[in-house]
Amino acid sequence: MTATATILDVYCVHAATGTDATVNEALGALAGKVPLNEVGVSSAQAFVQSIPQAIAAIDAARGDPDDLYITTTTSGGVDGAIWPGNGSTGSVNSGQTQPLGVSVPVDFVQNLSLWDYDSASDDDLLGSIRIEESEQGAGPIARLASSPAEGSAYYVTYRVD
């Protein structure tokens, strides 16, 4: 008999960074358009080295939530989401918990992937976890799903019955 995992909730420790490649490219292009003495540096190298701090400051100021959806596959696509379903997403920010109550079959191992929907480019993988049939009867379990590339971290709480 196949086990069933009930995904209880997700807790967003840190939402994905709100800056994207377009912002990074725009900041990088500034060195060729702005006299360096106007931005307070003496060389192009100093300017380029300051870009990561500028990106982090923009991201902190924006505080954009993730447009979260969850799949049981390793490929994105809001249309294949098990939560929230109907081609929609749930808005989640750092420090917020999203109750789910979704059940999925677990035949040996089941993948669960968290995604951030992006209308302008490919969706961003926020992290994945593996739910194992051997966890059946262990009670609630919390696993970390994270992505160093996106700067996101979520705890997924589930139980396997």
Side-chain angles (χ1 to χ4, degrees), residues 81-130:
I82 62 163
W83 182 90
N86 299 321
S88 61
T89 63
S91 181
V92 182
N93 215 332
S94 298
Q96 292 182 328
T97 298
Q98 184 67 253
L100 302 182
V102 175
S103 295
V104 294
V106 180
D107 187 15
F108 187 60
V109 173
Q110 178 61 61
N111 175 76
L112 203 68
S113 295
L114 284 66
W115 297 89
D116 181 30
Y117 175 76
D118 192 343
S119 61
S121 62
D122 291 341
D123 296 350
D124 301 319
L125 178 61
L126 301 173
S128 294
I129 64 165
R130 290 171 41 110

Side-chain angles (χ1 to χ4, degrees), residues 11 24 53 74 91 138 152:
Y11 171 71
N24 295 344
Q53 292 90 358
T74 56
S91 181
S152 59

Side-chain angles (χ1 to χ4, degrees), residues 129-140:
I129 64 165
R130 290 171 41 110
I131 300 171
E132 299 182 16
E133 187 176 24
S134 63
E135 297 170 323
Q136 191 169 9

